[in-house]
Amino acid sequence: MHSPKDTAKSKAKALLLPPNSPEQLDLLRDHIELFLTEHPRLLLSEPGREVMDLSETSYSLSTEFGKLTWHLWNERSNLVRQITSIARERPGRLELKCQRFGKGPAGTLILADTRADAESLERRGRRVEFARHLKRWLAQLFPDARIDELTTETSMKDSLSGCYARGVLNDGGRLWAVMGVGEEESPAVVDGILTYGLLWLDHLRRQQTSRVVAGLKLFLPRGQSEFKNEGRSETTRQRMPWLNSAAALWELYETGPEVIRLDISDAGNFRTSLHRPQQSGELRAGKLLSEDVPLARRMEQLSDRIVCRMGSDGSRRWSIHGLVIARERANDSGSRIFFGLGRAETGLTEQSFERLRRLAQQVLDHRMAPVSKEPDSVAEPLDRQHPLFRLCPELWMEDVLVNHAESIVPDLLGNQLARQVFSVSGYETGFADLLGVARGGRLAIIELKASEDIHLPLQGLDYWMRVHWHMQRGDFARHGFFPGGELSAEPPRLLLVSPGLQFHPTCQTVLHYFSQKIDVEMIGVNEAWRVRPQVVFRKHRDDFRRSE
């Protein structure tokens, strides 16, 4: 949300400017772009037209001929409107006065954030119905056992989600934690079941102090995932072999017309590939159109904080502390550069370069703390509530860690850090993680999270599994990673880095059930990590593992 102070200043300044002056139009455009960047899940509505999902829509806001023109396009719709003013604004909602081109009266465009929608009663009913199915399956699979409880109620106190049906199976006096998820749930909910299953198991063990809770049985839908020949249980199936078999028994089932138990003794192959290590500031001019090459150079010379990186598809992105301000797009004649935040796209030309410079300066103003006059004090950033400060925190943290690697991980070789290591079926994984090598040649995986996330341990495990898999096959040496030394055969270390107060309270509980083969450590950094990162605590698995 825009800070009230920031919004008030913008509106006050706009009132002092002549109507439709270039300065007023620039302020109006900047205000709209900030709102769009801050709310990535907006719906745009206009009377008489189909609602547009802006998360799937590209746009361009331009000020030409004394008008602010907004062009929006996606696979189904194409909309062009002249924006004349802001009618009203409140949290998560912006109403714009607009004018159609050619003819017609003035109209209104409404931008509304969809995140505030409550869970529907229909979805809750489906989850209750799934719990009944799960109870029937358990009775069929374990006819001599008793189901002591089965519920879909949320327990905030115990961090147990209502997305899953959970219960207790009493099999001859030996208890099992049981959890299942319905086929209508999203991929993220299905993949998140192991986190909540481990928490349910641990909760029962703390409750049932006089009885043995042997292990965990998970029930996932059989349907296909978004990838061919891969079931919706695949992520969980790959994770479960890396749980501690000495701490509990683990069983995984797929549900459908019939229920089958899956073999989890082997994680199998991974749908990943490595791509060539990225060189900082790399720019291969051959693919860009010749007129774009000097513009790219000029853009990089605006500030040493503007970094050019390549994605797994070979396209370039220019960012400031992780926030992308420009990107390369391929077309029939070559590759051109477009700039803008989020899905905004404006072609980079000599005429538009000044606008890019303004955008870069605006981002720099809000993502660089002013220099403190006192050598031992930490200068505060301009506005912690400003969207440009709060966007892409993990990628910002990645930049900071690269520059302070040896202070965060003392035995890490700071010049041996790789970013964007994996690609999955031609797409980037989305990990904001780093892969490094420590003295002695042992690989170290650094999983970063700037805010609290209950799934952090298993996200780190996903990355660890892939690194371990590629390491066993010698892929890192073959692809040119970490030259000049021999890599150790030891399994990689897993380092979870987050602001100290942002680790989810359940993090240590989930890590308790990881395999002993995974050498994991939690590293808490200070809240002012953007300015001057410092380690506030380190917890190795031996420090937080309870006696078994």
Side-chain angles (χ1 to χ4, degrees), residues 420-431:
Q420 296 182 348
V421 172
F422 296 124
S423 59
V424 178
S425 298
Y427 298 93
E428 292 180 23
T429 62
F431 293 126

Side-chain angles (χ1 to χ4, degrees), residues 47-67:
R49 285 189 60 91
E50 178 184 355
V51 173
M52 296 181 74
D53 182 352
L54 296 194
S55 68
E56 302 174 352
T57 302
S58 298
Y59 73 87
S60 174
L61 273 165
S62 60
T63 54
E64 295 179 327
F65 309 111
K67 298 177 180 179

Side-chain angles (χ1 to χ4, degrees), residues 37-163:
T37 303
E38 184 182 7
H39 301 85
R41 295 178 55 190
L42 288 169
L43 296 180
L44 182 146
S45 58
E46 181 185 31
R49 285 189 60 91
E50 178 184 355
V51 173
M52 296 181 74
D53 182 352
L54 296 194
S55 68
E56 302 174 352
T57 302
S58 298
Y59 73 87
S60 174
L61 273 165
S62 60
T63 54
E64 295 179 327
F65 309 111
K67 298 177 180 179
L68 175 58
T69 303
W70 194 9
H71 180 197
L72 304 100
W73 67 95
N74 57 32
E75 293 181 354
R76 298 175 300 281
S77 301
N78 194 339
L79 179 72
V80 180
R81 293 289 183 270
Q82 177 190 350
I83 307 301
T84 57
S85 65
I86 295 175
R88 61 178 59 89
E89 180 178 6
R90 63 175 185 263
R93 185 181 175 94
L94 182 65
E95 297 181 19
L96 303 173
K97 289 293 184 182
C98 69
Q99 180 70 52
R100 296 191 182 198
F101 287 87
K103 60 180 180 178
T108 302
L109 295 176
I110 300 174
L111 301 170
D113 197 328
T114 63
R115 286 178 297 180
D117 291 345
E119 182 183 61
S120 67
L121 292 175
E122 180 183 358
R123 176 172 293 181
R124 184 172 182 178
R126 289 198 302 265
R127 288 170 177 166
V128 172
E129 181 64 23
F130 170 76
R132 297 193 188 103
H133 288 301
L134 179 58
K135 186 174 183 178
R136 187 177 70 250
W137 291 327
L138 290 170
Q140 293 171 351
L141 290 169
F142 312 102
D144 298 327
R146 185 178 75 249
I147 304 166
D148 287 347
E149 63 174 287
L150 200 61
T151 182
T152 58
E153 293 300 315
T154 299
S155 175
M156 299 295 292
K157 177 174 65 73
D158 301 306
S159 299
L160 294 170
S161 171
C163 296

Side-chain angles (χ1 to χ4, degrees), residues 191-235:
D191 290 346
I193 191 172
L194 185 54
T195 294
Y196 291 102
L198 294 174
L199 296 177
W200 177 231
L201 169 64
D202 197 76
H203 172 78
L204 291 177
R205 286 184 164 180
R206 285 184 279 109
Q207 272 193 335
Q208 304 287 342
T209 55
S210 61
R211 306 175 72 181
V212 175
V213 182
L216 174 67
K217 298 178 187 285
L218 295 180
F219 292 79
L220 279 74
R222 183 173 303 160
Q224 291 291 309
S225 74
E226 58 184 308
F227 299 99
K228 278 187 174 182
N229 303 319
E230 195 172 282
R232 298 186 71 189
S233 63
E234 185 66 14
T235 297

Side-chain angles (χ1 to χ4, degrees), residues 195 447 453-462 494 496 504 506-508 510-511 514:
T195 294
E447 170 81 15
D453 189 338
I454 196 171
H455 298 296
L456 173 60
L458 287 177
Q459 290 170 355
L461 176 61
D462 289 338
L494 174 58
L496 305 180
H504 195 278
T506 64
C507 186
Q508 296 184 40
V510 175
L511 291 173
F514 275 24

